[in-house]
Amino acid sequence: MNPRSVRAHNDVLAATIALLDEGGLPAATVDAISARSGVSKATIYKHWPNRTAVAAEAFGRRMADAMPLPDTGNARDDLAEQVRRVSAFYAGRHGLVFAQLLAATVADPEAAPFFRQFFLDGRRQAVAVLWDRALARGEVKSSVTVETAIDLLFGPLIFRLLTGHAPLTVAEADAIAAAALTGLLA
Amino acid sequence: MNPRSVRAHNDVLAATIALLDEGGLPAATVDAISARSGVSKATIYKHWPNRTAVAAEAFGRRMADAMPLPDTGNARDDLAEQVRRVSAFYAGRHGLVFAQLLAATVADPEAAPFFRQFFLDGRRQAVAVLWDRALARGEVKSSVTVETAIDLLFGPLIFRLLTGHAPLTVAEADAIAAAALTGLLA
Amino acid sequence: MNPRSVRAHNDVLAATIALLDEGGLPAATVDAISARSGVSKATIYKHWPNRTAVAAEAFGRRMADAMPLPDTGNARDDLAEQVRRVSAFYAGRHGLVFAQLLAATVADPEAAPFFRQFFLDGRRQAVAVLWDRALARGEVKSSVTVETAIDLLFGPLIFRLLTGHAPLTVAEADAIAAAALTGLLA
Amino acid sequence: MNPRSVRAHNDVLAATIALLDEGGLPAATVDAISARSGVSKATIYKHWPNRTAVAAEAFGRRMADAMPLPDTGNARDDLAEQVRRVSAFYAGRHGLVFAQLLAATVADPEAAPFFRQFFLDGRRQAVAVLWDRALARGEVKSSVTVETAIDLLFGPLIFRLLTGHAPLTVAEADAIAAAALTGLLA
DNA sequence: CAGTAACCGAGACGGTACGTCAAGTCTTTCT
DNA sequence: AGAAAGACTTGACGTACCGTCTCGGTTACTG
């Protein structure tokens, strides 16, 4: 890959992250990204199909390393802790950006793959590790797929994040995790 | 309330529903709604803060009667059936509009109350009826709040609807319902 | 005339004058006049054809008494003094409103008669008195009509007021009056 | 300057002139100009602060060449002829547009510089040439400034144009010119 | 002095244009 | 030749004010 391209790519992502931090997704205008990064709009559109894709990659890339997996040696505690952490993340200052990004993805299907690739897949895999570990130990029902487990554990959080119909406190997260785990543990 | 206002209000909602059906949320432009309904833009903006709110009310109002509650006389079956129905709705031709609306609500917090009022609240109450009925019969855990139950049952569906990371088939809906209900039933 | 109508009429004019003073013609919105006066918009439109007419009558009525005629016993001085006074008026805090009103009259021919009736005619007549007095004394050329005299004396002021291409100081007014009077005096 | 910008600029002015001819200033809507010229509204607003400015430049630019200077070799005749020409212009089919433009300029101070630059300045300079020529020949009073002369000669015409209180016939123009020139000639 | 007709206040509505914004495309110019 | 710069089109936004209209309730004239 052309080193100039690499440079441009990175500059764009860095600028985008900065803008997302400052004003959320609405602030991450293509013009703003271009101005901040010094990379021209035309070039940006050569690397990504649209602005949502840029934001998805930028934000997802950063989140990748931001959330280490718990390892208490016990499936229930591992998963419950993970739910708690994700809930805290959603409730924290980056939660809104995540929600905005997810929302933008709906309105703009072309960006969905980027969101999945750079954001969902990584986190999904992380949880899959926990799940497989638990499965190996026989702590969880083998009849339940990882997919179902993940949706059951994190779907409720997403639901709350998006609609804001109920708070995302630690207590709430624990209640959700507890109920969900009853259906998942062996 | 002024009969002229009532008339205008209804005309707008009718036009909006038609547009949503034809082209989803992106088609429900305020200009288009105005043109189709014969109600002026200024008037629309006197009744609603922005276009998302209009769409939310229009769509929510219609959905209200579109989904009758199951009553099999048995909590497990009632709730599982409801999950199946909601899943089918999401998977059907109105699912996309619902997703778009939910997404728009995130980008436009001013419209959120409308979405909640005309869409979530009604459905939430419907399920609450099921839940209370089950609670009265002692079929579900009294330690679990309705809120948690609802999120656990429907959050996963919403999650899938939005990210499209997994299908919304009947089988999937049943798997989710089964797992969730294990954590909810007494 | 119905006393209620008289009341409404006066209230509207009073409110309009207040608004003109506060924010010039742009502030004298029909809505604002209605709100301030307590007279409904419908009623206002029963009395006047449009908002410019209202403003013209309001402003003109007030100006009528605001400018007494000079009487030095000498045509040259009378007329020069009048030019000076009108110039000062235009340069003063009401000048802008006058200009705005005159301008509005162009864009809205329906209001022109009101402007003429309540504003120009009165002032024109006032100067005509001076002119006739001078004519009787043989101080001015009988070959010049009052119309021409008036235009020559005050047209330049209006020109400057509208375009702002030159100041409206006392010195300038005197220079104009001096030059014009050379062509008018016998 | 970017050739694309030049193109857009010219196209806008051409479309505006056409619209002014067809329906006067009220027809020169920004939307109409945009549609007619094929230049987008956004671009128009990058070149001009508002629609009045566009109209002023368009109209003024055209007028520049439309009125050649008289040169009879005699100040009195030159100036009288110029007054007659300007009067005829005001009375003609473009007079209304000029008046509307002048009026719009009052209501919209942001456009005033455009009006002055593209309209007044040019014509003012033209007359200044006449004046200087006459001054050099000693035909006019050196005590009178060009400004005063111009205002005295053309102010009355503007006054009549705007208020319509008196006609703008050739005879009237001559009467005004005659009276004014008496005050201006040596 | 009662009844009717004219008038009014309140305020919503249709219409027209405004000026703004961001997305994504396309041209020109520089390196 | 390829990227940067940046101007352009498109399409919608939300706002402002105009002048019209409907409604319900008062006021003033009239028989």
Side-chain angles (χ1 to χ4, degrees), chain A residues 69 79 82 121-135 146-147 149-150 154:
Chain A
L69 277 185
L79 291 167
Q82 183 67 1
D121 289 355
R123 317 201 49 184
R124 192 150 273 273
Q125 248 164 356
V127 178
V129 168
L130 284 188
W131 185 259
D132 290 343
R133 199 192 286 160
L135 205 61
V146 200
E147 293 303 315
I150 290 175
F154 302 103

Side-chain angles (χ1 to χ4, degrees), chain A residues 21 59 62-63 89-99:
Chain A
D21 277 355
F59 195 65
R62 168 158 89 177
M63 286 305 101
F89 170 71
Y90 288 164
R93 81 191 181 86
H94 296 311
L96 178 60
V97 175
F98 174 82

Side-chain angles (χ1 to χ4, degrees), chain C residues 116 151 160 162-163 165, chain D residues 116 124 151 160 162-163 165:
Chain C
R116 273 209 284 280
D151 290 352
R160 293 198 172 190
L162 292 179
T163 64
H165 66 268
Chain D
R116 271 208 286 280
R124 195 149 272 271
D151 290 352
R160 292 197 173 190
L162 290 179
T163 63
H165 66 266

Side-chain angles (χ1 to χ4, degrees), chain D residues 61-146:
Chain D
R61 203 176 271 281
R62 168 160 85 174
M63 286 306 100
D65 8 71
M67 215 180 296
L69 276 186
D71 187 0
T72 63
N74 166 297
R76 166 178 290 274
D77 293 346
D78 277 359
L79 290 168
E81 173 62 19
Q82 182 69 0
V83 168
R84 211 176 290 124
R85 286 183 190 175
V86 169
S87 171
F89 170 71
Y90 288 164
R93 80 191 181 87
H94 297 311
L96 179 60
V97 175
F98 175 81
Q100 289 170 335
L101 221 33
L102 177 52
T105 274
V106 172
D108 183 356
E110 224 177 334
F114 281 78
F115 186 73
R116 271 208 286 280
Q117 178 188 348
F118 290 102
F119 209 90
L120 293 182
D121 288 356
R123 320 207 40 189
R124 195 149 272 271
Q125 248 165 353
V127 178
V129 168
L130 286 186
W131 186 258
D132 289 342
R133 201 191 284 158
L135 206 60
R137 297 193 198 124
E139 294 176 306
V140 294
K141 287 185 183 154
S142 60
S143 63
V144 177
T145 66
V146 202

Side-chain angles (χ1 to χ4, degrees), chain A residues 26 90 96 99-100 102-107 112 115-116 120 124 141 144-145 147-148 150-156 158-166 172 175-180 182-184, chain B residues 26 90 96 99-100 102-107 112 115-116 120 124 141 144-145 147-148 150-156 158-166 172 175-180 182-184:
Chain A
Y90 288 164
L96 178 60
Q100 289 170 334
L102 177 52
T105 275
V106 172
F115 186 72
R116 271 210 284 282
L120 293 183
R124 192 150 273 273
K141 286 183 184 156
V144 177
T145 66
E147 293 303 315
T148 302
I150 290 175
D151 289 353
L152 213 64
L153 289 167
F154 302 103
I158 298 255
F159 189 15
R160 293 197 172 190
L161 172 63
L162 291 179
T163 64
H165 65 267
E172 295 281 341
I176 288 168
T182 306
L184 300 174
Chain B
Y90 288 165
L96 178 60
Q100 289 171 333
L102 177 52
T105 275
V106 172
F115 186 74
R116 273 209 284 280
L120 294 182
R124 193 148 275 272
K141 286 183 183 156
V144 177
T145 67
E147 293 304 315
T148 303
I150 289 174
D151 289 354
L152 212 63
L153 289 167
F154 304 102
I158 298 254
F159 190 15
R160 293 197 172 191
L161 172 64
L162 290 179
T163 63
H165 66 268
E172 294 283 341
I176 288 168
T182 306
L184 301 175

